[in-house]
Amino acid sequence: MSKLMGTGNNLRSVSGALLPCRHSFNPMRCCLRVVKSSMSIPARIHGRLFTHEVRASSAGVVETKPDPVVDETMLNIRKNILACPICYELLFGMCSTCRKTYSGEGSHLDLTITGRGKVYGDPVAPSTEIFRWPLVSFLYERGWRQSFSFWGGFPGPEKEFELIKEYLKPVLGGNIIDASCGSGMFSRLFARSGLFSLVVALDFSESMLQQCYDFIKQEDNFPEENLILVRSDISRLPFASSTVDAVHAGAALHCWPSPSAGVAEISRVLKPGGMFVASTYIADGLFSYIPLRGALRENIAQFSGSHVFLSETELEDLCKSCGLINFTCTRNRYFFMLSAMKPV
């Protein structure tokens, strides 16, 4: 881990780690500065990280221009949470263990395992792929998400946010991951609330993250200094174990190809006492009269990659199976919000 020396404009890294510093908004509200040192530094840094180009020279790695003030507090927060999704070592631009580099795509930081792959790519379930379509991302906050209130009983973003805050009272002031954040509806609410030291807007969809980025750019005085946009697979989260205070997943559990893999990863990254809050829907009530609904659910999962939950007990068992306790929930028609905690 790097040792940091100095403050303000003089903050530097003795180990040559990548240091974020303030500039116009980008996924981590930072550009890069790499300081030459006696430690080994790779000869090349690949690609474009965030919105600034970084180039290497034979004498070392030159720093980007301009060179604003480094926010030491935010630097310490970020360097203690982001990790390589392969080996889970803390990440400073390049993983010190597997030597893989990670880069940005203008609107976000890509921390998927195959994000830089040129040929290989894992197959993506339809329930995941549809949210990568730019049209769906554009429509998500322009009618798509609002329709959940009509057919499912979702209270709406503002009321859901109030419920979330109640569940998260024990960890307010800490960091939060908004998993499967979509276009950042709740990520932006978390950031504007000032209740969290760091908000990570995380999604697998590049177009959703771009839409979140566009919404942020349209807002005046948005508190962008405590928001990071990250592309990641929910089943391979790019965070060190036991470093996260809270994880929120709004209207997302049913879209994950393997909810158990996602919740297990969330349990891994949560600190002891950390909170998981999620909303989804439960197909009970009138759906209970559908013949062979269990078999039908299996067919839906195989075809679409999405999961249909049939009871509250099923979701409680999912959380317990992944090591979470103190399960509580709120219902409104098919809408279901749950809360669970990682044991202390």
Side-chain angles (χ1 to χ4, degrees):
M1 185 176 294
S2 303
K3 180 179 178 182
L4 300 178
M5 301 183 65
T7 58
N9 286 316
N10 298 320
L11 184 64
R12 62 188 179 88
S13 169
V14 175
S15 68
L18 303 183
L19 302 185
C21 51
R22 287 188 170 180
H23 195 46
S24 60
F25 178 78
N26 51 53
M28 291 180 66
R29 188 168 169 81
C30 66
C31 58
L32 290 180
R33 183 172 62 177
V34 182
V35 184
K36 183 180 178 184
S37 75
S38 59
M39 293 186 65
S40 174
I41 299 177
R44 296 169 58 202
I45 295 180
H46 299 279
R48 182 173 172 82
L49 185 51
F50 318 125
T51 58
H52 297 267
E53 192 74 27
V54 181
R55 299 185 183 276
S57 68
S58 58
V61 184
V62 299
E63 62 184 25
T64 57
K65 303 293 183 179
D67 183 20
V69 176
V70 175
D71 188 320
E72 185 173 4
T73 301
M74 291 310 298
L75 171 61
N76 289 333
I77 292 171
R78 286 168 180 147
K79 76 173 186 176
N80 288 325
I81 184 172
L82 293 177
C84 172
I86 298 173
C87 55
Y88 298 135
E89 292 292 326
L90 289 172
L91 192 60
F92 299 95
M94 183 183 74
C95 177
S96 61
T97 300
C98 66
R99 313 301 291 177
K100 181 174 178 177
T101 57
Y102 296 89
S103 66
E105 301 297 333
S107 62
H108 61 273
L109 175 62
D110 194 331
L111 293 181
T112 57
I113 292 176
T114 59
R116 292 190 57 82
K118 296 181 179 179
V119 179
Y120 177 80
D122 290 323
V124 179
S127 61
T128 300
E129 187 65 27
I130 189 173
F131 292 105
R132 300 177 74 188
W133 297 357
L135 178 60
V136 173
S137 300
F138 177 81
L139 293 174
Y140 191 75
E141 291 188 43
R142 297 175 174 92
W144 184 298
R145 183 57 163 79
Q146 289 82 349
S147 71
F148 293 7
S149 299
F150 173 75
W151 64 261
F154 280 65
E158 290 76 17
K159 291 183 179 179
E160 291 172 50
F161 182 60
E162 293 303 315
L163 291 172
I164 294 165
K165 286 195 297 184
E166 285 297 312
Y167 283 132
L168 295 181
K169 273 186 176 180
V171 293
L172 293 180
N175 56 47
I176 185 169
I177 299 170
D178 189 18
S180 296
C181 67
S183 54
M185 177 184 294
F186 287 101
S187 303
R188 303 194 310 274
L189 286 172
F190 292 144
R192 285 195 298 263
S193 73
L195 297 174
F196 304 94
S197 60
L198 177 68
V199 179
V200 180
L202 182 145
D203 205 284
F204 188 75
S205 168
E206 306 92 325
S207 62
M208 282 291 191
L209 291 168
Q210 180 64 52
Q211 184 63 74
C212 178
Y213 177 78
D214 291 343
F215 280 140
I216 291 168
K217 289 195 296 182
Q218 295 168 13
E219 291 195 34
D220 294 328
N221 302 316
F222 185 86
E224 57 203 49
E225 65 276 358
N226 70 332
L227 178 65
I228 306 175
L229 277 61
V230 175
R231 181 173 182 245
S232 170
D233 185 340
I234 192 64
S235 64
R236 199 75 183 179
L237 293 175
F239 306 101
S241 298
S242 301
T243 57
V244 176
D245 294 293
V247 177
H248 167 257
L253 273 172
H254 50 273
C255 296
W256 298 349
S258 174
S260 62
V263 177
E265 267 294 270
I266 289 168
S267 181
R268 178 187 66 80
V269 304
L270 282 175
K271 297 176 182 177
M275 301 297 297
F276 172 48
V277 176
S279 61
T280 184
Y281 69 93
I282 295 180
D284 56 6
L286 293 177
F287 290 100
S288 303
Y289 298 99
I290 298 177
L292 303 174
R293 64 175 185 153
L296 179 61
R297 176 174 71 169
E298 295 300 320
N299 291 333
I300 292 173
Q302 291 176 7
F303 174 75
S304 68
S306 62
H307 191 89
V308 179
F309 295 103
L310 302 178
S311 69
E312 298 179 16
T313 305
E314 184 180 6
L315 283 158
E316 183 175 7
D317 189 55
L318 169 63
C319 290
K320 288 182 177 179
S321 298
C322 296
L324 300 177
I325 62 172
N326 296 350
F327 181 91
T328 58
C329 63
T330 300
R331 284 291 307 266
N332 182 45
R333 292 167 51 199
Y334 301 119
F335 166 78
F336 186 87
M337 181 175 285
L338 65 89
S339 171
M341 185 184 78
K342 185 171 181 177
V344 177

